Amino acid sequence: MMPLTMAQPGETVVIRKITGKDEVRQHLAELGFVVEEPVTVVSAIAGNLILKVKDSRIALDKEMACRIMI
């Protein structure tokens, strides 16, 4: 497994695990980031990602993206 920050723009990956405190995992789940969900990296700027998940585009900072394992 590796953090989501390692994915390249245009790549679609599947979430394997989400780390962090319960509140963090809950927040990410509410945004649509759940295990086995495919996520497409739209763009990456300085480690911050714009992601497409469940027909929504969501921006995540590097710290949050590092908690999502693919």
Side-chain angles (χ1 to χ4, degrees), residues 16-28:
R16 296 290 171 215
K17 183 180 176 184
I18 297 175
T19 63
K21 295 180 181 170
D22 287 346
E23 308 89 77
V24 173
R25 292 200 313 262
Q26 178 67 34
H27 177 66
L28 287 169

Side-chain angles (χ1 to χ4, degrees), residues 2-4 15 17 28 33 60 64-70:
M2 60 184 182
L4 184 55
I15 297 172
K17 183 180 176 184
L28 287 169
F33 297 99
L60 280 189
M64 287 296 251
C66 281
R67 296 172 188 265
I68 300 173
M69 297 292 159
I70 56 173

Side-chain angles (χ1 to χ4, degrees), residues 52-70:
K52 187 169 192 287
V53 60
K54 296 188 183 204
D55 297 328
S56 298
R57 283 188 177 206
I58 297 172
L60 280 189
D61 66 10
K62 191 174 188 175
E63 186 181 330
M64 287 296 251
C66 281
R67 296 172 188 265
I68 300 173
M69 297 292 159
I70 56 173

